[in-house]
Structure formats: C-alpha cells, structure tokens
Amino acid sequence: MDDDALRAWSVSVRYPGQPEPALADVSLSIGPQALTVALGPSGCGKTTLLNVLAGFVPPSQGRVTLAGAPITGPGADRAVVFQHDALLPWLDVRDNVAFALELQGVGRRERHARAEALLAEVGLAHAARQPVWTLSGGMRQRVGIARALASPSRALLMDEPFGALDAFTREQMQTLLLEVWRHSGRRIFLITHDIEEALFLATELVLMSPGPGRIVERIEPGFSRRWLAGEPVRALKSDPAFIALREHLLDTLARHRQANDKETA
Amino acid sequence: MPSVFSSALPGLTGLSAPRWRLRLRHPLTLGLFSVALLWLIWQIAAGSGWIQPLFLPAPQAVLAKLALAAGQGFMDATLWQHLAASLSRIGLALLAAVAVGVPLGLAMGVSPVLRGLLDPLIEGYRPVPPLAYLPLIVIWCGIGELSKVLLIFLAMLAPIVLSATHGVTRVSPSRLRAAQSLGASRRQLLWRVVLPTALPDILTGLRIGLGAGWSTLVAAELVAATRGLGFMVQSAAQFLVTDMVLAGIVVIGGIAFVLELGLRALQQRLCPWHGQQD
Ligand SMILES: Nc1ncnc2c1ncn2[C@@H]1O[C@H](COP(=O)(O)OP(=O)(O)OP(=O)(O)O)[C@@H](O)[C@H]1O
Ligand SMILES: [Mg+2]
C-alpha cells in the first residue's frame, strides 16, 4: 500500500433532491507518481469525484485522505485546474501565476521571478505581461497549469482541462502536460470524456458509468511513460495495443449504457 | 447607450461598407447629427413664428439667457453658484450612496440571508417616485440641506446596491474554487476575487445611480432651496421664463451626459476585460 497516496475510501455522494447518488462506493488511490485519469460519459460523477478529492464537496459516506491525513476542505496541497473561467482577468498572465505565490506570502520580486520561470516551463515566457483576456483558450489553460504549479500543491486536479480546445492544440497540451508531470513530480488526477486522451495520458485509467456514478473498470495503459521514453505521439496512438484498448473501452461503455437503458425502461 | 449595437455587432453594421461610410456611421458622427437635427428643427419652429416664444423660445434666446445667468445671475445667484450648489448635493449624495450601497450590495451578494431580508425592502421602495416620499422626508428631517441630499441619496442607493449584488453573483464557482484550492482564505476571496469581479457592475450601478440622482434633483430642490439648477428651473417656470427653463434643462442634461461619458471611460480603463471574456 502506498502511504503517501491521495485516497478516496468508499466514497458516496448524494446531492439533496436527487433520486440516485452521484457517486456510489468509489475507492481510488492516487500515488505520488501517478497520472490517474477518470473517463466516462456525461453525468457519471467525474466532477463530483474531483470535487470530493479537492474538498469542495463533502462525501455523504466514506472519507478522503492525503498521506493518511483526512481531507475536510479545499487546501493548497491540491491545486485545481478548470476548463473555463478560473483565471483572474484583471491581472496579467504573470500576476495570475504570481497570485498563487502571493497567497503563500512570497515577496514581490521572488514572486515575479518564479512566475516567469513557470511560464517558461509551459511555453508562455513571451506572454508574461499580456492581459489574460487576450489569450487563446490553449494559452489560458497553460496559465492555469502554471498557476497550479506555483502553489505548494502535491496534486493537480484537472476537470476537463482541454475540453474546449481543438484537436491539434489538444494534442500539444497533452504532451505539455506530460512534460510538466515529469518535471514537477506532482501527481495528477485528470477528468476527460475523450477516450484517446485518457488512454494516452493515464498511468491508471478509471472508467466510470452513471446511474449511480461508479467505477466499472480500471486499467493501466502506460503509453505516457513510453512517450516520455521517446516514442512519438502518432505512433503510440496508432499502436495496435492502443487501438485494442480504445475499442475495448468503447465496448464496455456501450454495454453499460445498454444495461442502464434497460433498467430505466 | 447609443453605441451598443455598432460595437457589439461590428461585423454586421460594417459589412463590406466603404471607409467613408463607416466614418459616417461612427457613433460620434451619428450623435452629433441627431443633436444638430434637433437644433435645426427647433430653430425653424421657433424662428418662423409658428410657435410663440412663451412656449418655445429660439435657441439663441436660450443661449443669451445662459450667458446672462452666468454673468449677472438669476434669482440672486449666478449660474455657477447654482451649478455648484447642485453638484455638491449630487456629489455628497453619491459619496454616501457608494459608501453605504457598495458594501451593502456586496454583503447581500455574499449572504443569502441578508439578501432575503433586504431585497424586498429595496425592491419595494425603488419604484416609488421620490416626489411621493418627499413630504415624509421633510417631516422627519426638516427643510435643510439634509433632506435634499437624502432624497438624491435614496434615488441613487437602490441601483448601486442592486448592481453590486448582481456583480457578486457573476463570480463563477470555478473561479472561487480555483482560488480556494490555491490557498485563498475567505477574506482573500472577498477582496481579491469577488470584489474585482463585481467591479464592472459596481461602476454600472454608479452610472445608473448618478442618472437617477440627476432626475430627482428638481424634486430635491423643491424643498426650500435658494440655489441649485433644479431650483433655477422651478423658479423660472413659476414666472414663465421659458428660455430660462430651457437653459436649465440644457445645462442639467449636458452635465449629466459629460459625467456619464467620464464614468464610461473610467469603466473602460479600470475593467478593460468587461464584456471581452469567452
Ligand atoms: N450541485 C449539484 N446538485 C445536485 N445534483 C448535482 C450537482 N452536481 C452534480 N449533480 C448531479 O450528479 C450527477 C453527476 O454529476 P457530475 O457533474 O459529477 O458528472 P460529470 O461526470 O462531471 O458530467 P460531465 O461530463 O457532464 O461534466 C449528475 O446526475 C448531476 O445532475
Ligand atoms: Mg463534469
């Protein structure tokens, strides 16, 4: 057992007024080196799971711990990156990243230097003084990642961070994320409903299904480590093993959908 | 807001039009055009003798009256003294309305309990015409400066409070949560995330409040005033000095318009991101 893990222990979440729990008996362990991806159709409870891990939503049953200590609310040890709207438009790019450092009481000069270094890491050194509302969607997400890295977090929790991006930018962001993951040494929990993205990035992939939200399958794809070892993206994504897993996941999702449809019918 | 459509739909209004036509369609050109047209109609109507000067004096008569009021004065005070009296009332009322309204509006935005308690009160008094509660204010606060400022203050307060409240509800949960997960305390959330997010709406509230304030000026200066633009207009009306009435209206309208433009420019400067996101 991994003692330093971020763990959900048999977590259930029931929102008031909802007939079914949004999450039922979900257990998950995210080790210090992990890149765990939750994949599933809309409404299967992915965001709810992330919110529980982040401490935004208390579990109705079960508990969440980080390195054994219980999580009771949001904290700077788990930085969250959202799909939209989470940057502060009145600050420029550098100050958005520095905001995380300011909250820790880092002095002005050091703040700026560290923010600039982090921006360089996500390829945005040239845009440091730009207003964030003039950036493209992909650039904004990179600012969000740099900001999360500026916090003293031990985990990055990302809710469909690339969901609004075009396919090309998306692939660039995926490889960028893997670089960041390797450099920063932080574990990542990422939500997506894109099967290829999940397969490519995940060290552990949890497949979720709605009604009630639960984990129906866990696999360990391992393509991200192969990419970091030097294999090209396209080769990996067209690898027979990759394609077989993709088809398998599609199949499993379809079977669960059918089962759910039958139940509700 | 005359420029809303041309700025929001540049692609539509500017579709394949040549440059000189675009310049003609510039909001400033259009605005100047409509003012000039009104002036022309006024000039023709008054100058041709169709309408008696008692009902509609000619523009130059109004200008002459303005010059006279600026130099010799009207009702024992010069135009500048009337202007200063009104501006100081509006200014005081605005300061007070901002000092009370912005914190109150923010608090109502943050606390559903406070919102539930105060919303009916504010929404209840907001549509009541200030002239209707003016007598009450006079009975309670007398006929001094306090009553006048209070009336303007009340007209300004509701829009300022409501806009600030609305500004707070604009803060997206993901913006709050992201900041929380970076370690922001409740206090930091309020000052560093909620307040700046609400700023554009607060400034809009100020603009609306200021407009409401100007429109109660005449009512406020019904209360035993001896100076003020509103007082000037009323006295002129009593003595049927129509050119002075018009002169007063032009001055009030002109100043309110300039202030509005100034606030818009301030809003653009302080919140350039407003209306630009996503
Ligand atoms: N605040 C809430 N109050 C009530 N019900 C909620 C709330 N948030 C989510 N739910 C319900 O819980 C279920 C799971 O929602 P959740 O947002 O976790 O799904 P998701 O997998 O993130 O979906 P998507 O891919 O569309 O983002 C849904 O049925 C949703 O309607
Ligand atoms: Mg979601």
Side-chain angles (χ1 to χ4, degrees):
Chain A
M1 246 197 213
D2 213 333
D3 237 344
D4 201 22
L6 173 60
R7 282 172 177 277
W9 307 76
S10 307
V11 164
S12 298
V13 173
R14 179 167 225 131
Y15 291 110
Q18 296 292 92
E20 261 178 350
L23 279 184
D25 196 27
V26 168
S27 292
L28 189 65
S29 170
I30 305 168
Q33 311 297 327
L35 202 171
T36 303
V37 176
L39 171 72
S42 184
C44 68
K46 304 183 293 294
T47 297
T48 303
L49 178 56
L50 181 136
N51 283 341
V52 169
L53 292 172
F56 299 137
V57 168
S60 322
Q61 274 164 41
R63 59 205 179 91
V64 181
T65 57
L66 176 57
I71 279 167
T72 52
D77 51 0
R78 288 150 289 134
V80 182
V81 178
F82 289 100
Q83 179 177 342
H84 275 307
D85 237 15
L87 298 177
L88 307 177
W90 50 90
L91 301 179
D92 67 18
V93 166
R94 185 183 70 185
D95 287 343
N96 260 281
V97 178
F99 178 68
L101 298 164
E102 194 186 340
L103 293 176
Q104 302 159 51
V106 178
R108 191 186 172 77
R109 187 163 303 166
E110 193 192 335
R111 228 163 46 215
H112 287 168
R114 275 168 65 184
E116 273 160 19
L118 286 166
L119 284 170
E121 207 166 307
V122 296
L124 278 185
H126 62 284
R129 305 314 307 273
Q130 246 174 275
V132 286
W133 48 270
T134 62
L135 303 183
S136 70
M139 289 165 94
R140 278 185 220 189
Q141 284 315 86
R142 291 195 237 177
V143 180
I145 293 172
R147 187 175 70 168
L149 292 175
S151 84
S153 58
R154 306 173 59 194
L156 304 191
L157 309 178
M158 313 178 83
D159 194 346
E160 298 193 31
F162 314 138
L165 306 180
D166 60 274
F168 182 71
T169 313
R170 204 174 173 127
E171 197 157 280
Q172 282 184 327
M173 294 296 295
Q174 291 166 0
T175 52
L176 178 105
L177 185 72
L178 291 181
E179 295 280 10
V180 164
W181 176 56
R182 173 163 65 183
H183 277 142
S184 70
R186 274 174 244 211
R187 80 200 72 191
I188 294 177
F189 175 72
L190 182 143
I191 288 174
T192 181
H193 48 233
D194 183 306
I195 297 184
E196 293 206 352
E197 179 166 286
L199 271 176
F200 176 61
L201 293 177
T203 55
E204 184 182 21
L205 190 162
V206 295
L207 185 66
M208 298 180 66
S209 172
R214 62 204 188 279
I215 294 176
V216 292
E217 183 156 350
R218 301 169 196 254
I219 57 177
E220 297 185 359
F223 297 100
S224 45
R225 295 208 199 274
R226 284 171 60 185
W227 182 80
L228 285 173
E231 288 187 52
V233 182
R234 293 316 320 168
L236 284 168
K237 289 190 177 176
S238 52
D239 189 298
F242 191 96
I243 292 170
L245 275 175
R246 189 184 71 197
E247 295 309 310
H248 167 73
L249 289 173
L250 276 169
D251 213 44
T252 315
L253 280 170
R255 262 192 294 116
H256 280 282
R257 173 158 300 164
Q258 273 173 6
N260 279 341
D261 287 350
K262 233 176 251 162
E263 237 169 72
T264 50
Chain B
M1 284 180 254
S3 62
V4 158
F5 282 96
S6 53
S7 59
L9 305 169
L12 272 186
T13 49
L15 214 61
S16 71
R19 222 204 186 96
W20 63 271
R21 264 169 74 186
L22 281 185
R23 207 165 297 148
L24 277 186
R25 287 180 193 178
H26 191 279
L28 193 65
T29 323
L30 294 175
L32 284 176
F33 175 74
S34 60
V35 170
L37 188 67
L38 184 70
W39 185 279
L40 191 69
I41 294 172
W42 182 8
Q43 184 81 57
I44 292 171
S48 63
W50 295 336
I51 307 177
Q52 284 180 37
L54 174 64
F55 296 105
L56 187 70
Q60 54 276 29
V62 171
L63 282 183
K65 203 71 181 186
L66 262 184
L68 194 72
Q72 297 178 0
F74 179 79
M75 299 299 290
D76 299 327
T78 64
L79 179 64
W80 310 116
Q81 290 170 319
H82 288 302
L83 187 59
S86 291
L87 277 179
S88 70
R89 282 172 196 137
I90 297 253
L92 263 176
L94 185 67
L95 275 182
V98 169
V100 175
V102 171
L104 191 65
L106 291 176
M108 281 170 66
V110 174
S111 151
V113 174
L114 208 58
R115 186 159 64 238
L117 285 173
L118 295 182
D119 202 46
L121 301 187
I122 290 174
E123 288 292 0
Y125 98 78
R126 187 170 70 102
V128 179
L131 265 176
Y133 51 79
L134 178 60
L136 267 186
I137 291 183
V138 171
I139 292 169
W140 290 340
C141 306
I143 55 170
E145 207 55 23
L146 176 64
S147 292
K148 303 180 188 68
V149 175
L150 189 59
L151 192 78
I152 303 173
F153 164 82
L154 284 174
M156 289 176 163
L157 185 65
I160 291 179
V161 170
L162 295 176
S163 310
T165 305
H166 180 247
V168 173
T169 59
R170 234 187 235 278
V171 187
S172 71
S174 47
R175 185 176 287 173
L176 280 178
R177 287 180 161 179
Q180 264 182 311
S181 83
L182 298 172
S185 64
R186 269 188 75 84
R187 227 185 123 85
Q188 285 167 325
L189 282 184
L190 190 64
W191 284 103
R192 304 297 310 279
V193 181
V194 174
L195 187 63
T197 305
L199 188 62
D201 284 291
I202 292 174
L203 289 174
T204 300
L206 238 74
R207 279 168 46 196
I208 301 174
L210 208 56
W214 279 107
S215 61
T216 49
L217 185 69
V218 175
E221 292 178 351
L222 274 174
V223 186
T226 55
R227 281 195 188 162
L229 292 172
F231 162 74
M232 199 176 90
V233 171
Q234 284 165 52
S235 326
Q238 272 167 10
F239 299 115
L240 292 180
V241 192
T242 318
D243 42 9
M244 199 64 221
V245 172
L246 275 168
I249 290 175
V250 168
V251 171
I252 292 177
I255 292 191
F257 186 61
V258 168
L259 283 179
E260 163 76 12
L261 287 187
L263 271 176
R264 271 196 222 173
L266 185 73
Q267 196 170 24
Q268 191 58 42
R269 224 190 127 70
L270 288 181
C271 321
W273 69 89
H274 186 47
Q276 304 276 345
Q277 294 164 269
D278 302 321

